Every structure is written in structure tokens, then in C-alpha cells.
């Protein structure tokens, strides 16, 4: 019995060490620095000026996370600048926002590529979003971010 428990513990530890899972977070503040390395000693590559911009977390080092944005810029951001708020960027041109989660409902507005959307909830292949004063449903496959 002890051998089985020991084996399971070692299996889960090894599995966590080698699991390199990528996940999305969003920027917490209006101004966020993207650095070349995982420390405040490294120079700033880019200044982000968009709160809730989704970023893909690829790696971690102490209190810094290596990220990639929707334009494939990558670098390191301190964890205090990241949030779990749900948001996404439109990756297609002329994305229709519908009144209900079906293409047969009334279109409300057309979003251009690169538009930041706050996500309320997602179900199946649709997400309920808010963009400025507009609310509605968008197909998931036209969004990039934390859904």
C-alpha cells in the first residue's frame, strides 16, 4: 500500500514539473510594462496602454510570467499586473454581434479586427460580450483571449 501511495505522489510531482500548460489572463491596469526578462532589472520592450487586454501565459519565473499577445509580441510581466477578468480580442474582420446566440437573430453591430470585448459568459460556440454601449453574442472562433 505504501508503494502505491509513494508511486502516486511521485507521478503527480513529475507530472506537474513537466506540464507546460498555457492559459490566458488579462492586463490589470491601463499602463503595463512588457520586459525582456523576468526581473525589474531588464529593460522595457513595450508599454501596454489597454486595460483587460488578453495575454497568453507561456512560462513563469518567480513573480514574473512570460506572455504572448495577439500580435505575437512576447516578454515578461509581473504578476501584480495580471488579472483573471474575462476579455478577448476579435481576430476576424467585420465580426457580427447578434441579439441572441444564433446567426438567425438580429445583428446589432459589426466589430472590426482587434476590438477588445469584455466577456460575460460563454456557452457552446457563442460568447455574450460587451463592447462600449453594445451587448450581444459573438461566435467563439472569432475571439482570442480569456473566454
Amino acid at each position: 500500500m505504501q508503494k502505491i501511495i509513494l508511486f502516486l505522489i511521485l507521478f503527480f510531482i513529475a507530472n506537474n514539473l513537466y506540464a507546460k500548460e498555457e492559459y490566458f489572463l488579462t492586463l490589470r491596469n491601463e499602463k503595463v510594462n512588457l520586459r525582456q526578462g523576468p526581473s525589474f532589472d531588464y529593460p522595457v520592450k513595450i508599454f501596454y496602454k489597454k486595460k483587460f487586454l488578453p495575454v497568453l501565459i507561456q512560462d513563469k519565473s518567480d513573480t514574473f510570467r512570460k506572455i504572448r499577445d495577439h500580435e505575437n509580441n512576447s516578454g515578461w510581466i509581473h504578476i501584480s499586473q495580471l488579472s483573471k477578468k474575462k476579455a478577448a480580442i476579435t481576430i476576424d474582420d467585420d465580426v457580427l454581434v447578434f441579439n441572441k446566440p444564433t446567426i438567425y437573430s438580429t445583428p446589432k453591430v459589426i466589430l472590426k479586427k482587434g476590438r477588445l470585448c469584455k466577456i460575460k459568459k460563454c456557452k457552446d460556440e457563442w460568447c455574450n460580450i460587451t463592447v462600449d454601449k453594445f451587448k450581444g453574442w459573438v461566435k467563439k472562433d472569432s475571439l482570442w483571449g480569456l473566454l
Side-chain angles (χ1 to χ4, degrees):
M1 184 67 175
Q2 290 177 342
K3 289 181 182 181
I4 293 173
I5 293 172
L6 182 62
F7 172 76
L8 288 174
I9 291 171
L10 291 174
F11 174 76
F12 286 117
I13 290 172
N15 194 26
N16 286 338
L17 289 176
Y18 294 109
K20 199 166 189 180
E21 189 176 321
E22 295 182 336
Y23 57 96
F24 282 98
L25 292 177
T26 55
L27 300 184
R28 183 182 302 256
N29 301 314
E30 284 295 329
K31 290 172 63 177
V32 176
N33 296 332
L34 180 71
R35 297 186 177 274
Q36 288 182 356
S39 164
F40 291 114
D41 298 332
Y42 285 93
V44 175
K45 285 172 67 172
I46 297 174
F47 295 105
Y48 287 113
K49 294 183 179 181
K50 196 67 163 170
K51 190 174 184 177
F52 302 122
L53 183 75
V55 293
L56 182 66
I57 308 300
Q58 296 181 307
D59 199 5
K60 66 181 183 176
S61 173
D62 197 24
T63 58
F64 280 81
R65 300 295 179 260
K66 184 174 185 182
I67 65 102
R68 182 171 52 90
D69 67 14
H70 65 288
E71 295 176 336
N72 279 334
N73 297 315
S74 65
W76 295 84
I77 293 179
H78 193 265
I79 57 172
S80 67
Q81 304 302 305
L82 297 169
S83 161
K84 291 183 180 180
K85 300 277 187 195
K86 293 186 176 187
I89 296 273
T90 55
I91 55 173
D92 298 329
D93 281 325
D94 300 332
V95 175
L96 288 172
V97 178
F98 292 96
N99 198 31
K100 295 179 182 169
T102 172
I103 58 170
Y104 301 111
S105 69
T106 311
K108 292 178 131 183
V109 68
I110 298 173
L111 301 177
K112 297 292 181 192
K113 183 177 182 177
R115 188 64 188 225
L116 182 63
C117 311
K118 290 186 183 175
I119 307 292
K120 288 184 180 176
K121 66 178 177 179
C122 292
K123 63 179 189 179
D124 299 327
E125 58 190 57
W126 293 88
C127 286
N128 190 351
I129 64 157
T130 303
V131 178
D132 295 332
K133 61 182 178 181
F134 300 103
K135 296 177 183 179
W137 292 86
V138 174
K139 286 198 148 227
K140 265 188 189 178
D141 58 3
S142 59
L143 297 173
W144 187 90
L146 183 56
L147 305 179

